[in-house]
Every structure is written in C-alpha cells, then in structure tokens.
C-alpha cells in the first residue's frame, strides 16, 4: 500500500511538472512573471496630468495633434468589459474625446453634437481618419461599452457594446454624431480601424463570449476572438474568426492590417481580400502581451507592451495608484544579417519603465516627424510624452 501511494504521488508530481513546463510557465513568462524591468527611453519625458484614464490615443500626423479616448480612473475600476469588470452601476456615462496640441500644450474636450442617447458614452478603442474627399474633415470611430438595457445585470449578460461614428474638422472643438452601429457580430469590441468614407471599419472582438467561464479558457490558448467588418450601407460580418487574444488593431497605408495578441504575446499580419474578409499572412511572436497598436509615418508598427500583465490586471486596474510597468515595442522590416536566416521583422524595445513615470500604458503612438512618443493607459494617472 505505501508503495502504491508513493507511485501515485510520483506520477501526480510528474504530470503536474509537465503541465507547468508545457502550459503554465510559458503563460506566466509572457505575462511578465519575474521579468527584469529596464529603464529605456524614459529620461527625456514630460507628463500631462490633466489627461487621465485615456485608453487609446491617435496622432493626427499633419498637425501633430493627439486625439484621446478618455474616462476617469474611478469608473474604470468598476467598468472594463474587456477584463470582466462589469459593475454597470458605477460606470461612467460621460466619457469624452480630447485633443492635445503639443505645440501649445492646449487640451480641448470635444463637445458632442446630435448625440442624444441617454445611455451615454463609455469609451474604449478609437480611430481618427481623414475623409477621402477632404483631409480637413475627420471621421472618429469609437467603441462604446453601454450598460445592458432593461435593468439587466451586466455580470449576467455582459455589456451592450456598440460602435459610434462621429465627424469633426481639424481644429474643431465639436464632435457631430453620425451613426450608432450595433450588430450580433459585435460581441466584445475592443479596438477599431476606420476608413475615409465615414461608413467602413474593422473592429476586434477580444473574446468570443460576453460573460461566463468559457471565455476564461482563452488564457490557455482557446481561439475564440475575431475581427468584424462593417459598412453602414450593407451591414456587418465576421472578417476572420478563430484568432487568439485579439486586442489592438492598426492598418498601414497599403491596407495591411495588424492585430495584437494580448494573451499569447504577438502580432498578426492580415491581408484584406476582395470580399473584405481577412487572412493571416504572418504572425510575429513577442516575449510579452501586446495591447493597442499604431503605425507611424515611416511605416513602423508600434505596440504597447504589457511588461507585467499580472500586476496590470489584478492590481493596477483595481487601484490606479498601484504602479504597473510599461513598455513600447517597434516592429520594422529587418534589413540586417538576421533577415538572411528568416527573421523578416525586427522588434526593438524603444521604451520601458517600472511604472514610476509611465504606469499601466495600453496605448502608444510615435510622431516620427517630430520625434515624440506618446503613451497613455486605461487607468493611467497622466499622459507621458518622450522625446526620442
């Protein structure tokens, strides 16, 4: 009997060790467990404390003005559907889009026009796109996480998330509402890329379900996320499904589309097809989870790296005063010797901070013309601007 018990114990430990090595250890490593934080690119920086809890930022390249989708820190600790924070009674309903002009340090909170929804705005992803016919005319695409209607509890049914399309002019302080887009395919929207017709966009679903235990299996590699294509004249459809960890999305000038993996750590490179579906052309693995993406004027892709995702999700999101390390990665075509051996893309860590300066960063964008890196986050206490 003792021998049998010993054999069972040894077998159990061997299986547990195997599971840890094959499954748990890679997850913990990607999530930043025991990662050594470096100080990179964080010396010549300034903060903008008037701007708090801005999950996404977009640079208007011709002017250098930054557009930000903002909330308040207290609300974010209760209402972030992407990470299962679903207390709708404490959610902000008056989130806003702001602009920041680096030349003058002027901050403008854009006023809403023709937006009469009593359910308000609870913002997440955003894109700002010049009109195809007039570069002074801008379309602003926004993810709006509305609380469920009819008094339903969000913990049971999830957020009633939709897409909002606004328009504005360069330099204007007004956002004019054009359309609310809701569709069964828009399940758990996270980030969006828009087009210059004011009608067309792609949006990522960061989970396959709004609530429930099934969605928690994504952390173990379950491929439930997707990208949805919408045109307000013809409707929405899934452009690609069975992806993993979809989060931020960005596009290049040639219409190549990039999607961040916020769980497995990496970036999908997608090709748009004639029917507006998407196919995976390549996947670039990274050593950390990624959040929002942006493309600079030189064509480099920038990603907010979740240096310590464990601290970010379980401590910083619950208490914004608790610092969370941050980083910014840059992806470029590899022109060095390693390209000969199949490394098509070069990944450089351009910025990293232990959270003392840049805490909980979820969005980064680089102004290549003016050599400035902008960083902000879901519950971050301020925007950070670094001269590189």
């Amino acid at each position: 009997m003792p021998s049998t018990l010993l054999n069972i114990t040894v077998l159990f430990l061997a299986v547990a060790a195997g599971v840890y090595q094959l499954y748990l250890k890679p997850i913990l490593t990607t999530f930043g467990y025991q990662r050594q934080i470096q100080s990179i690119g964080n010396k010549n920086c300034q903060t903008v404390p008037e701007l708090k809890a801005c999950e996404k930022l977009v640079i208007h390249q011709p002017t250098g003005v930054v557009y930000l989708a903002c909330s308040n820190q207290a609300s974010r600790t209760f209402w972030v559907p992407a990470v299962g924070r679903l207390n709708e009674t404490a959610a902000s309903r008056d989130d806003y889009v702001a602009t920041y002009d680096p030349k003058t340090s002027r901050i403008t909170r854009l006023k809403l026009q023709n937006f009469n929804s009593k359910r308000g705005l609870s913002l997440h992803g955003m894109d700002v796109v010049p009109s195809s016919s007039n570069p002074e005319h801008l379309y602003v695409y926004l993810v709006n996480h509305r609380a469920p209607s009819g008094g339903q509890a969000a913990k049971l049914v999830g957020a009633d998330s939709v897409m909002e399309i606004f328009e504005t002019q360069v330099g204007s302080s007004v956002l004019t509402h054009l359309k609310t887009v809701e569709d069964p395919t828009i399940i758990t929207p996270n980030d969006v890329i828009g087009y210059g017709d004011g009608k067309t966009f792609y949006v990522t679903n960061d989970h396959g379900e709004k609530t429930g235990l099934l969605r928690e299996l994504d952390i173990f590699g379950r491929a439930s996320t997707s990208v949805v294509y919408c045109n307000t004249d013809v409707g929405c459809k899934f452009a690609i499904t069975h992806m993993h960890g979809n989060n931020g999305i960005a596009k290049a000038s040639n219409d190549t589309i990039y999607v961040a993996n916020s769980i497995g750590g990496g970036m999908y490179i997608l090709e748009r097809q004639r029917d507006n579906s998407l196919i995976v052309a390549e996947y670039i693995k990274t050593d950390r989870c990624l959040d929002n993406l942006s493309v600079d004027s030189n064509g480099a892709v920038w990603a907010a790296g979740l240096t310590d995702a464990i601290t970010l999700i379980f401590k910083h999101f619950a208490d914004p005063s608790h610092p969370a390390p941050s980083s910014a990665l840059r992806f470029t075509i590899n022109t060095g010797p390693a390209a000969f051996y199949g490394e098509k893309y070069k990944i450089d860590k351009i910025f990293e901070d232990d959270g003392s300066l840049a805490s909980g960063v979820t969005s980064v964008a680089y102004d290549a013309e003016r050599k400035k890196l902008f960083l902000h986050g879901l519950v971050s206490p301020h925007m950070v601007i670094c001269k590189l």
Side-chain angles (χ1 to χ4, degrees), residues 279-326:
I279 62 171
V280 177
E282 295 183 69
Y283 182 76
I284 307 171
K285 187 75 177 74
T286 56
D287 69 344
R288 65 198 65 201
C289 306
L290 302 182
D291 204 310
N292 285 312
L293 304 175
S294 61
V295 180
D296 69 23
S297 57
N298 292 329
V301 182
W302 291 76
L306 307 186
T307 307
D308 183 350
I310 298 172
T311 295
L312 178 75
I313 296 170
F314 296 105
K315 295 183 178 180
H316 178 68
F317 284 172
D319 177 7
S321 67
H322 192 290
S326 301

Side-chain angles (χ1 to χ4, degrees), residues 352-363:
E352 189 164 75
D353 181 74
D354 64 3
S356 300
L357 170 69
S359 181
V361 166
T362 60
S363 184

Side-chain angles (χ1 to χ4, degrees), residues 120-381:
L121 284 180
S122 182
L123 299 181
H124 200 102
M126 176 184 69
D127 199 12
V128 180
V129 186
S131 166
S132 302
S133 58
N134 179 6
E136 296 295 305
H137 188 90
L138 306 176
Y139 293 110
V140 180
Y141 297 82
L142 296 165
V143 174
N144 182 13
H145 292 307
R146 304 184 305 190
S149 61
Q152 300 178 89
K155 289 183 178 180
L156 298 178
V157 300
D160 184 19
S161 302
V162 296
M163 302 301 302
E164 309 285 2
I165 305 176
F166 288 81
E167 64 181 354
T168 187
Q169 297 288 326
V170 173
S172 173
S173 62
V174 176
L175 272 181
T176 302
H177 188 245
L178 296 178
K179 195 173 185 65
T180 296
V181 182
E182 46 190 321
D183 191 87
T185 59
I186 303 174
I187 305 166
T188 54
N190 188 293
D191 196 21
V192 58
I193 52 170
Y195 288 81
D197 60 356
K199 300 178 180 181
T200 304
F201 60 89
Y202 286 93
V203 57
T204 57
N205 282 316
D206 56 39
H207 287 86
E209 300 81 21
K210 291 177 181 287
T211 60
L213 292 176
L214 190 60
R215 71 180 246 147
E216 305 307 323
L217 295 179
D218 289 6
I219 196 172
F220 298 108
R222 176 174 174 261
S224 74
T225 62
S226 58
V227 181
V228 172
Y229 167 83
C230 292
N231 178 283
T232 57
D233 289 339
V234 299
C236 301
K237 68 174 185 177
F238 287 109
I240 186 171
T241 58
H242 303 298
M243 298 178 73
H244 182 235
N246 282 8
N247 195 299
I249 185 170
K251 63 179 170 66
S253 57
N254 65 358
D255 221 18
T256 297
I257 293 174
Y258 307 94
V259 173
N261 187 332
S262 64
I263 298 176
M267 185 175 72
Y268 293 95
I269 301 178
L270 305 174
E271 292 182 355
R272 186 179 182 182
Q273 306 301 293
R274 288 186 177 182
D275 64 352
N276 298 309
S277 65
L278 300 172
I279 62 171
V280 177
E282 295 183 69
Y283 182 76
I284 307 171
K285 187 75 177 74
T286 56
D287 69 344
R288 65 198 65 201
C289 306
L290 302 182
D291 204 310
N292 285 312
L293 304 175
S294 61
V295 180
D296 69 23
S297 57
N298 292 329
V301 182
W302 291 76
L306 307 186
T307 307
D308 183 350
I310 298 172
T311 295
L312 178 75
I313 296 170
F314 296 105
K315 295 183 178 180
H316 178 68
F317 284 172
D319 177 7
S321 67
H322 192 290
S326 301
S327 58
L329 305 184
R330 182 183 64 194
F331 297 78
T332 54
I333 298 294
N334 194 349
T335 58
F340 179 78
Y341 298 99
E343 294 184 18
K344 185 176 179 180
Y345 295 92
K346 183 181 179 184
I347 306 173
D348 295 301
K349 184 166 61 176
I350 303 300
F351 177 94
E352 189 164 75
D353 181 74
D354 64 3
S356 300
L357 170 69
S359 181
V361 166
T362 60
S363 184
V364 301
Y366 181 62
D367 186 335
E369 179 182 338
R370 301 165 185 88
K371 311 298 183 186
K372 290 183 178 181
L373 178 66
F374 298 86
L375 310 98
H376 216 319
L378 185 75
V379 297
S380 297

Side-chain angles (χ1 to χ4, degrees), residues 13-48:
L13 292 175
V15 171
V19 170
Y20 175 77
Q21 288 293 330
L22 290 175
Y23 296 102
L24 294 181
K25 186 177 180 180
I27 293 172
L28 291 173
T29 299
T30 302
F31 271 59
Y33 179 65
Q34 293 186 333
R35 191 189 304 278
Q36 297 299 310
I37 310 300
Q38 300 174 294
S39 291
I40 300 174
N42 60 351
K43 303 304 180 186
N44 189 14
C45 303
Q46 67 180 91
T47 63
V48 184

